[in-house]
Amino acid sequence: MRAFSHGCIRVSDPLALATLVLKDAPGNWTREKIQAAMNGRTSVRIDLARPINVLILYATALATEAGPVMFFDDIYGYDRKLERQLGLPPVT
């Protein structure tokens, strides 16, 4: 189990995310060009024409469309902190 990653965020499909982010960026960033840059040995900086909004959520429970609710370990202890702030008894 990996945790406490100092701000790293895992992305399930980094090529798709990069393609979306770079679609209007200067330099004609095709999937092939992005893939080559990702596999290259040097870092590439690309200034975007406009900022993009990013929403990051941390959740320990997930309601699926199929019905079941999935629960995950709260490795950062946020659930207990939220329970205290809301004045709720701890869930055991």
Side-chain angles (χ1 to χ4, degrees), residues 4-90:
F4 305 106
S5 60
H6 304 289
C8 297
I9 298 174
R10 295 182 185 202
V11 175
S12 64
D13 191 345
L15 181 58
L17 177 60
T19 302
L20 177 67
V21 169
L22 298 175
K23 69 179 178 159
D24 297 324
N28 190 29
W29 286 94
T30 63
R31 286 180 65 87
E32 294 75 23
K33 187 174 176 181
I34 294 168
Q35 184 75 56
M38 289 175 135
N39 293 328
R41 293 191 177 268
T42 59
S43 294
V44 178
R45 178 184 168 127
I46 303 153
D47 293 324
L48 301 178
R50 61 188 188 293
I52 56 171
N53 294 319
V54 176
L55 174 64
I56 300 170
L57 301 174
Y58 173 83
T60 56
L62 173 67
T64 66
E65 289 185 32
V69 177
M70 299 167 52
F71 295 92
F72 305 94
D73 292 334
D74 179 21
I75 59 175
Y76 297 106
Y78 293 158
D79 286 348
R80 282 207 172 100
K81 181 178 178 182
L82 181 60
E83 289 166 351
R84 283 193 308 273
Q85 290 174 335
L86 294 175
L88 300 173

